[in-house]
Amino acid sequence: MEKEMIKISFAANPDYKIEVEKGLTVLEIVAQKAPKLYKMILAAKADGEDIELSDRIERDCIIQILTGSDDAGLHALRHTASHILAHAVQRLFPGTKLAIGPAIANGFYYDFDSGHTFSPEDLTAIEKEMEKIVAEDLPLVREFLPRDEAIKLFYGLGEKYKIELIEALADDVPISIYRQGEFVDLCAGPHVASTGKVKAFKLQSLAGAYWRGDEKNKMLQRIYGTAFAKKTELDAYLKLLEEAAARDHRKLGRELDLFSLQDEGPGFPFFHPNGMVVRNEIEKLWRDLHFDFGYDEIKTPVILARELWIQSGHWEHYRNNMYFTDIDEQLYAVKPMNCPGCILVYRSRHHSYRELPIRMCEMGLVHRHELSGALHGLMRVRAFTQDDAHIFMLPSQIKDEIKKVIELFDKVYSVYGLQYHAELSTKPEKAMGDDAVWELATEALREAMEEYGLNYKVNPGDGAFYGPKIDFHLKDSLGRTWQCGTIQLDMQMPEKFDLTYVGEDGQKHRPVMIHRALYGSIERFIGILIEHYAGAFPVWMSPVQVKILPIAERHVEYAKKLQEELFKEKVRVELDDRNEKIGYKIREAQVQKTPYMLVIGDKEVEEGKVSVRKRKEGDLGAQDFSVFAAALKKEIVEKA
RNA sequence: GCCACCAUAGCUCAGCCGGUAGAGCAACGCAUUCGUAAUGCGUGGGUCGCAGGUUCAAUUCCUGUUGGUGGCUCCA
């Protein structure tokens, strides 16, 4: 089946492309991928709405597919809610200019340019005004205007952003506008029939956003909100948000004493003993699997001379994000990436084609000067460890090698039970190398993914400056996705550093290089894991695996013996011999999310048993200690 | 970096209109030796992020700054 990429524009990503069967009309694509929406379009047509006039409405339909919302009704509802928001704002703050106001995955927003700076109190007032507009039950009326008339209309209203949007459209496209009462907006729809249909909504937050997402443009004021068909659904969603906040890795990081961030080092995380256990365990798993997959581990310096970074291209392309230092009056840089260091290892001796592929991995500590506003707990920091690896190979080995890398990633993510999605990023504007080489590299990645059977979407122009990449994205507790794993085909670096291997013919040849990271950043990955498990790590990576809880002082001696036994098995076990009631000790172990608790009282001491309590299942009753120990050991080894 | 907001005890927070601060939990002490998510009583702990300014007087008002939060931009 032949496929083609079609490009569609929407606010969040003007160059978005999706893959579809060749020759389908946009409506057919909608019919395939968003049946509910398709039905709605048919219904609208039956109602006499002229829907084929503009391809803009069809593009809008596809936007819904991409925002993951096949629920056309909900999308239209939220879109209408954004109009009601804009309507209310213009009533309360006349002269406010409208930018754009789409429905998004979990709600909607509208961007405003206003002389008035909105405050959180304003949101309450705006919500009240919105309720009035809902009560007025104004019908949403659609009109199509010729382009010049549309421009005249919005010129009269002083809506310069709308005019800019119209001017970006093709000349012959009729302009679709929507009216509700005295309010009018440039809009492709679709909407619900009247404002009265929007029964459950809430404004959530204020934020700044650049006009058209470009930091060179003016910063507008964005108001975020959400809307649902029913009040109960809205309440359920808000409750979900609250529960997600309880899983926030920053909150759990403090409560479980895993890590901290200090004013003395913004963006430079401190790992506490508990966090270090988690970290060491996931590194141990990493080393085991990399051994199995034929990697060799190296370690390269954190500080290296400027010349290296000039040669690698980082000086030209990445300098603004780098830290520098003088040593003996020479300029050195703190490494922002591990590649050049690894390349120097490769280049330290000759290589034969027989050795390839060479897979060198490194837990590399890198520093990047990220913008202060971008920092976020462990997810976005200024110093982090990349679980990096560089693979040097023959051009003929590319596809198989990438498939192997994908297999390794898949294997590791599945140990944690993590869901991920992959994205293919292509040549950015600011890039090294010519188009043909980029095309070749991009195709190699694409083929490997397709042969492995990995689903992916495409991010045009989002590649690194030295090559295209596959990114693996994982979700945090609020559903925000973070890039973790990455596979980057680098066809520039070997050139820049004149890397070679000796071929069968005795001549020097250029190897191909892959740069890849599985966890991406150990710090970010731990942040993801904390939220994924809500702090209740599986036993194998729990900071404390077992807590022994004697009921009274006379049980402590026996408890100590058990502790010694478990120590011998390398189990992380703590003895809570404080003079507290058993309920108190259990509560504390529970709050710390300790996987196993052993309650020791008269009965256990007499019978030589232990009473086992699991953090999720509760009391499991008494069993022989040796049975417990064996089962625990098995669970740890199997990483169940 | 940009926009908005926030900053009080280790943590979560209260403190109306300016008169130098409180609660719960935690910590510590004493009593209690207890059977599956918080025993009771008591004690200590804060130059109210930092620096200026206004004022007789600033945790409170103003300015700046540092750090954080939510976004934007960027990105592992």
Side-chain angles (χ1 to χ4, degrees):
Chain A
M1 181 171 50
E2 222 181 325
K3 292 186 171 179
E4 66 176 336
M5 302 298 292
I6 61 165
K7 183 172 161 179
I8 49 235
S9 297
F10 61 105
N13 189 347
D15 292 317
Y16 208 95
K17 284 183 189 167
I18 57 167
E19 193 174 67
V20 297
E21 263 175 66
K22 199 156 186 169
L24 288 182
T25 66
V26 179
L27 254 177
E28 281 168 334
I29 298 165
V30 173
Q32 271 187 10
K33 299 205 169 176
K36 274 191 202 166
L37 178 65
Y38 184 63
K39 267 187 208 160
M40 200 186 83
I41 291 171
L42 293 186
K45 279 188 170 188
D47 283 352
E49 200 180 335
D50 194 357
I51 224 154
E52 284 162 86
L53 275 172
S54 157
D55 78 320
R56 293 196 58 230
I57 183 168
E58 294 173 347
R59 277 212 317 253
D60 197 78
C61 296
I62 297 175
I63 291 166
Q64 291 175 39
I65 305 169
L66 295 169
T67 50
S69 155
D70 183 28
D71 196 333
L74 189 57
H75 188 273
L77 186 82
R78 287 171 174 171
H79 196 167
T80 303
S82 89
H83 276 217
I84 296 171
L85 164 62
H87 193 171
V89 166
Q90 288 201 321
R91 276 188 185 176
L92 296 174
F93 306 97
T96 297
K97 306 275 173 282
L98 307 178
I100 56 165
I104 52 175
N106 290 316
F108 62 89
Y109 68 80
Y110 215 110
D111 284 348
F112 301 102
D113 181 6
S114 179
H116 174 81
T117 302
F118 300 123
S119 69
E121 293 77 54
D122 291 334
L123 291 191
T124 318
I126 294 168
E127 258 179 8
K128 280 215 179 96
E129 192 60 39
M130 287 173 73
E131 271 158 25
K132 274 190 213 160
I133 295 168
V134 169
E136 288 163 26
D137 197 18
L138 305 167
L140 278 99
V141 183
R142 186 173 201 197
E143 279 175 41
F144 288 95
L145 296 178
R147 182 189 160 99
D148 50 344
E149 269 184 48
I151 291 178
K152 208 186 283 175
L153 169 71
F154 287 108
Y155 186 79
L157 294 166
E159 296 287 1
K160 58 177 180 175
Y161 297 100
K162 297 295 176 188
I163 295 172
E164 211 179 310
L165 290 172
I166 295 169
E167 281 171 347
L169 296 172
D171 287 347
D172 53 346
V173 177
I175 306 301
S176 160
I177 64 163
Y178 273 85
R179 291 181 187 275
Q180 60 194 49
E182 79 277 16
F183 177 81
V184 57
D185 196 359
L186 169 74
C187 179
H191 282 281
V192 293
S194 70
T195 59
K197 307 270 187 219
V198 183
K199 292 202 171 67
F201 66 90
K202 183 170 174 56
L203 297 185
Q204 291 169 296
S205 62
L206 279 164
Y210 300 105
W211 167 235
R212 300 202 131 185
D214 188 335
E215 63 179 328
K216 289 184 206 81
N217 289 340
K218 180 163 187 180
M219 180 154 278
L220 308 170
Q221 300 185 67
R222 175 174 296 178
I223 296 177
Y224 281 96
T226 191
F228 286 86
K230 290 180 198 146
K231 180 82 169 60
T232 50
E233 287 172 6
L234 174 65
D235 291 344
Y237 175 70
L238 295 176
K239 188 142 185 269
L240 200 75
L241 285 186
E242 258 175 58
E243 282 164 12
R247 290 214 310 267
D248 191 307
H249 77 283
R250 292 165 297 187
K251 180 176 149 74
L252 287 169
R254 187 176 49 243
E255 288 172 0
L256 304 179
D257 201 14
L258 299 168
F259 69 92
S260 63
L261 286 155
Q262 316 274 349
D263 287 359
E264 288 80 356
F268 301 122
F270 290 67
F271 277 82
H272 297 198
N274 286 346
M276 221 37 221
V277 170
V278 174
R279 188 173 177 136
N280 285 333
E281 287 297 337
I282 71 174
E283 286 190 14
K284 210 184 284 171
L285 172 77
W286 184 88
R287 289 204 165 86
D288 284 351
L289 278 161
H290 279 68
F291 178 84
D292 294 346
F293 274 73
Y295 286 77
D296 303 309
E297 188 170 0
I298 59 169
K299 185 68 104 184
T300 67
V302 168
I303 300 175
L304 292 162
R306 175 175 67 160
E307 286 63 36
L308 179 71
W309 304 105
I310 292 175
Q311 194 178 1
S312 70
H314 287 88
W315 180 263
E316 189 187 343
H317 292 277
Y318 209 71
R319 200 179 350 163
N320 289 343
N321 281 324
M322 291 166 68
Y323 296 109
F324 294 95
T325 184
D326 281 321
I327 302 175
D328 293 339
E329 291 168 32
Q330 289 255 31
L331 190 60
Y332 282 72
V334 181
K335 69 176 175 185
M337 295 182 195
N338 301 302
C339 323
C342 180
I343 284 169
L344 294 186
V345 175
Y346 179 88
R347 223 174 51 172
S348 66
R349 66 171 174 84
H350 287 293
H351 294 282
S352 152
Y353 73 96
R354 294 171 202 271
E355 296 173 66
L356 302 182
I358 291 173
R359 311 183 187 95
M360 286 196 278
C361 61
E362 168 175 19
M363 281 285 174
L365 174 62
V366 297
H367 288 71
R368 299 180 185 177
H369 183 75
E370 299 295 345
L371 295 174
S372 59
L375 302 180
H376 181 97
L378 288 182
M379 303 296 201
R380 191 76 185 275
V381 292
R382 284 177 170 157
F384 58 99
T385 302
Q386 281 188 313
D387 63 315
D388 228 329
H390 297 87
I391 304 174
F392 302 90
M393 62 202 150
L394 307 171
S396 62
Q397 295 169 325
I398 296 177
K399 213 197 308 169
D400 281 345
E401 218 27 59
I402 291 174
K403 273 158 73 179
K404 249 189 169 156
V405 172
I406 295 174
E407 189 193 337
L408 173 61
F409 281 23
D410 200 43
K411 204 163 192 167
V412 175
Y413 292 151
S414 71
V415 170
Y416 300 102
L418 288 166
Q419 302 268 314
Y420 64 88
H421 77 267
E423 297 183 9
L424 174 65
S425 297
T426 60
K427 187 169 185 259
E429 275 180 36
K430 227 177 115 182
M432 302 194 305
D434 63 75
D435 286 357
V437 178
W438 272 86
E439 190 53 35
L440 211 70
T442 310
E443 276 317 298
L445 290 178
R446 191 190 295 277
E447 279 173 30
M449 278 194 284
E450 271 164 21
E451 283 181 26
Y452 188 82
L454 184 68
N455 284 323
Y456 64 96
K457 64 175 197 177
V458 181
N459 277 336
D462 213 27
F465 66 83
Y466 46 78
K469 57 178 184 173
I470 304 170
D471 291 329
F472 294 77
H473 296 252
L474 303 172
K475 276 185 189 168
D476 72 8
S477 60
L478 282 172
R480 292 177 291 209
T481 65
W482 296 90
Q483 185 189 319
C484 289
T486 184
I487 303 173
Q488 310 183 350
L489 197 41
D490 191 329
M491 295 180 91
Q492 326 292 334
M493 224 48 94
E495 204 71 41
K496 295 224 151 215
F497 285 92
D498 192 26
L499 300 186
T500 59
Y501 65 89
V502 179
E504 214 172 347
D505 55 5
Q507 301 297 308
K508 283 184 176 176
H509 297 274
R510 187 77 71 215
V512 176
M513 185 176 127
I514 297 177
H515 154 88
R516 45 112 291 186
L518 196 170
Y519 293 141
S521 130
I522 301 298
E523 288 74 8
R524 175 177 290 181
F525 196 78
I526 289 174
I528 293 278
L529 285 184
I530 293 170
E531 303 200 353
H532 173 63
Y533 293 122
F537 298 110
V539 186
W540 67 274
M541 59 188 289
S542 277
V544 177
Q545 296 167 313
V546 179
K547 263 197 181 175
I548 304 180
L549 312 176
I551 287 172
E553 220 170 300
R554 62 179 180 280
H555 309 124
V556 170
E557 196 189 339
Y558 177 71
K560 273 190 177 148
K561 238 184 272 170
L562 299 181
Q563 189 185 25
E564 285 306 317
E565 287 301 311
L566 289 172
F567 274 153
K568 275 185 212 154
E569 298 292 325
K570 303 282 180 207
V571 173
R572 294 183 290 272
V573 50
E574 276 183 8
L575 171 62
D576 188 350
D577 57 0
R578 291 174 305 173
N579 177 13
E580 293 290 350
K581 292 172 86 169
I582 192 66
Y584 182 86
K585 292 183 184 181
I586 285 171
R587 178 184 153 77
E588 198 154 290
Q590 198 74 42
V591 168
Q592 287 298 306
K593 302 183 194 285
T594 310
Y596 284 101
M597 291 159 243
L598 299 182
V599 177
I600 307 299
D602 288 338
K603 199 177 81 186
E604 287 74 16
V605 175
E606 274 164 36
E607 297 174 9
K609 293 195 170 186
V610 291
S611 277
V612 180
R613 188 191 158 91
K614 286 184 87 168
R615 69 186 156 198
K616 281 180 187 141
E617 289 82 349
D619 191 1
L620 298 185
Q623 50 183 262
D624 287 334
F625 176 69
S626 59
V627 173
F628 165 76
L632 176 71
K633 193 81 209 233
K634 185 160 177 275
E635 191 178 345
I636 291 172
V637 170
E638 288 175 1
K639 305 197 191 307

